[in-house]
């Protein structure tokens, strides 16, 4: 069945009906549903394993973005996020993409990067010579001693390079880059161990002092790519989306907001699957300014009725180990995604980020962002002013009418309407109360 059919009317269903639909699709099991209905993870002892000084859990809303078909495979996308309208925009835009196009992904390059720093190198040239004499042996040694399991799977250390970086007090700094193929794993722990191991022979043979060893989050040697191609897009809309893209490609002020919109699609999946979203954010932002200017990580072009979009950036994630395996909600979300590898998860994230970006550009260049966002934000406003169950619906209706007429609504509008509904004359309070 086509994915749009699976999800027909999904957003209008009651929660129990949504569960039934996801059960029928095989995205959730009965046990998953019981777990979610019970409110998710409560195991305080488990929290102690994750972090220090734990006092509980911070729960974010968990939803699913619908209508995603990536590389020809239907996917249910779990998203843990607090911001209204992200999931709605992703789902609606994914339906549009399905109707007239497709999403395809790939991984460019295989290796992640570990860094070994010598802050004050005594003799850079001698270090270069040492590396060229010993590289093959060091790689064989570390692959056997530290990365044997990865070598068996076709990965391991593939190269060691040396870079000269400006140090302090006019001292040169030497930085080894260890290029490591983690196959379909994330590889963070492994690359750190590899670098720590190499520190021994480097120091012993060179007499230099290694300052530190750590992976780099700017993994420009392994990029995740997602592409959208759509036929028959209205020329005016296609041109506007291209213009919005060029704005973000050229102007860092716009690029920051554009990329935030892309990350609206990516971070919620990272959170839902227990991934380190700070690492991904750091990598993406560093890559976005690789030529010295911060730019968009997506690009849209329109020609001959065809709209094409591309996301290309480092997106290093994991599907095994740490929180991804131990946190029951993260496990449930990974099962729901049905991903086979870390690279597969990265490609899904890139696709959702690109779709989210398309949804934002479409809204921004047509009706504007307020209309869709505020429509959905009305429920938050209703709760925020303290409407009870009986008041909520009439208040929402009045706010919808006001939004349609005025094109904007605020917390004080909601409060005033609520007071009118309650038959009280009152003055609107401040949006945030001083403490
Ligand atoms: C809001 O969360 C995200 C947007 O600002 C993204 C964009 O401007 O492209 C709408």
């Amino acid at each position: 069945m086509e994915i749009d059919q699976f999800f027909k009317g999904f957003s209008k269903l009651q929660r129990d009906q949504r569960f039934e639909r996801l059960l029928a699709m095989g995205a959730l099991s009965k046990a998953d549903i019981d777990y979610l209905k019970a409110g998710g993870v409560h195991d305080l002892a488990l929290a102690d394993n994750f972090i220090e000084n734990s006092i509980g859990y911070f729960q974010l809303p968990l939803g699913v973005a619908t209508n995603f078909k990536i590389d020809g495979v239907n996917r249910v996308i779990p998203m843990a996020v607090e911001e209204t309208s992200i999931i709605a925009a992703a789902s609606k835009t994914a339906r549009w993409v399905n109707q007239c196009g497709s999403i395809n992904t790939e991984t460019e390059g295989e290796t992640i990067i570990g860094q070994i720093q010598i802050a004050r190198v005594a003799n850079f040239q001698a270090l270069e010579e040492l590396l060229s004499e010993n590289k093959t042996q060091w790689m064989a040694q570390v692959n056997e001693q530290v990365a044997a399991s990865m070598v068996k799977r076709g990965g391991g250390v593939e190269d060691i390079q040396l870079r000269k970086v400006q140090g302090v007090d006019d001292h040169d700094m030497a930085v080894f880059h260890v290029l490591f193929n983690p196959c379909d794993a994330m590889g963070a722990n492994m690359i750190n161990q590899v670098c720590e191991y190499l520190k021994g022979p480097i120091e012993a043979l060179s007499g230099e002092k290694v300052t530190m060893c750590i992976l780099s989050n700017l993994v420009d040697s392994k990029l995740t790519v997602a592409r959208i191609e759509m036929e028959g897009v209205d020329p005016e809309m296609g041109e506007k989306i291209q213009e919005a893209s060029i704005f973000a490609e050229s102007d860092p002020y716009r690029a920051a907001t554009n990329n935030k919109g892309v990350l609206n699609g990516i971070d919620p999946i990272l959170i839902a699957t227990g991934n380190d979203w700070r690492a991904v954010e750091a990598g993406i932002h560093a890559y976005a300014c690789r030529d010295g200017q911060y730019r968009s990580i997506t690009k849209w072009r329109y020609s001959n009725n065809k709209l094409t979009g591309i996301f290309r950036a480092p997106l290093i994630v994991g599907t095994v180990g740490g929180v991804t395996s131990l946190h029951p909600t993260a496990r449930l979300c990974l099962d729901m995604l049905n991903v086979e590898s870390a690279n597969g998860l990265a490609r899904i994230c890139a696709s959702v980020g690109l779709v989210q970006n398309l949804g934002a550009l479409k809204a921004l260049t047509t009706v504007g962002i307020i209309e869709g966002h505020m429509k959905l934000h009305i429920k938050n406003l209703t709760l925020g002013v303290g409407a009870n169950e009986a008041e909520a619906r009439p208040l929402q209706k009045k706010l919808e009418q006001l939004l349609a007429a005025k094109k904007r609504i605020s917390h004080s509008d909601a409060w005033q309407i609520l007071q009118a509904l309650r038959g009280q004359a009152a003055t609107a309070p401040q949006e945030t109360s001083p403490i």
Side-chain angles (χ1 to χ4, degrees), residues 83-84 86 254 257-262 264 356-357 360-361 364 369 373:
E83 187 176 331
T84 312
I86 286 181
R254 171 59 202 151
T257 322
N258 178 86
N259 291 350
K260 189 273 180 186
V262 177
N264 274 348
Q356 196 84 49
N357 179 229
L361 299 189
L364 287 167
I369 208 69
H373 184 76

Side-chain angles (χ1 to χ4, degrees), residues 112-393:
I112 57 172
I113 301 168
Q115 296 193 294
I116 303 172
Q117 181 215 21
I118 298 172
R120 289 166 183 266
V121 64
N123 188 339
F124 186 83
Q125 201 185 330
L127 207 57
E128 271 184 320
E129 283 160 19
L130 189 78
L131 175 63
S132 77
E133 281 161 21
N134 290 280
K135 183 167 27 180
T136 312
Q137 196 200 327
W138 285 350
M139 282 174 22
Q141 221 173 307
V142 73
N143 275 335
E144 191 187 312
Q145 299 293 319
V146 186
S149 62
M150 209 47 86
V151 174
K152 263 194 214 139
R153 290 160 57 190
V157 176
E158 293 191 350
D159 198 9
I160 305 175
Q161 299 165 354
L162 188 61
R163 296 168 57 234
K164 194 189 273 184
V165 177
Q166 176 70 54
V168 280
D169 304 335
D170 279 342
H171 251 285
D172 280 337
M173 182 191 299
V175 181
F176 287 96
H177 270 198
V178 182
L179 299 178
F180 180 77
N181 179 353
C183 298
D184 265 344
M186 185 204 193
N189 284 335
M190 190 65 98
I191 184 69
N192 287 335
Q193 289 174 54
V194 160
C195 291
E196 295 278 352
Y197 177 90
L198 286 171
K199 173 182 167 178
I202 289 171
E203 284 190 335
L205 292 177
S206 68
E208 302 276 2
K209 185 88 197 96
V210 167
T211 323
M212 60 179 273
C213 304
I214 188 70
L215 60 76
S216 170
N217 287 121
L218 175 52
V219 195
D220 53 4
S221 46
K222 180 175 178 177
L223 302 173
T224 303
V225 180
R227 282 191 186 80
I228 291 178
E229 295 195 352
M230 294 165 77
E231 303 272 358
V233 171
D234 168 56
E236 198 186 331
M237 184 186 293
E239 295 288 351
K240 281 181 177 173
I241 289 172
Q242 173 169 304
E243 280 159 10
S245 176
I246 292 169
F247 184 12
E249 289 160 39
S250 316
D251 176 12
Y253 290 90
R254 171 59 202 151
T257 322
N258 178 86
N259 291 350
K260 189 273 180 186
V262 177
L263 287 158
N264 274 348
I266 296 176
D267 282 350
I269 309 175
L270 300 177
I271 295 170
T273 56
N275 267 286
D276 181 348
W277 71 93
R278 287 91 53 211
V280 172
E281 291 256 356
I284 285 182
H285 293 304
Y287 187 73
C289 50
R290 63 197 174 283
D291 70 0
Q293 185 188 312
Y294 189 90
R295 297 180 194 280
S296 159
I297 45 160
T298 54
K299 184 172 173 177
W300 293 93
R301 287 295 179 268
Y302 180 78
S303 77
N304 300 331
N305 272 357
K306 196 165 164 183
L307 182 65
T308 53
I310 184 161
F311 167 102
R312 180 185 277 112
L315 221 165
I316 306 298
V317 294
T319 53
V320 288
V323 177
T324 49
S325 304
L326 294 174
H327 194 296
T329 317
R331 204 55 263 159
L332 180 154
C333 290
L334 277 167
D335 289 347
M336 186 191 298
L337 273 168
N338 200 18
V339 275
E340 53 303 313
S341 65
N343 289 349
L345 176 60
R347 293 199 299 267
I348 290 173
C349 291
S351 305
V352 180
L354 186 61
V355 167
Q356 196 84 49
N357 179 229
L358 175 61
L361 299 189
K362 184 181 175 210
L364 287 167
T365 55
T366 53
V367 291
I369 208 69
I370 292 300
E371 190 177 294
H373 184 76
M374 285 318 268
K375 251 191 214 161
L376 294 166
H377 190 57
I378 281 176
K379 276 190 194 159
N380 286 352
L381 286 179
T382 311
L383 277 179
V385 293
N388 63 33
E389 219 176 302
E391 292 160 341
R393 196 56 220 135

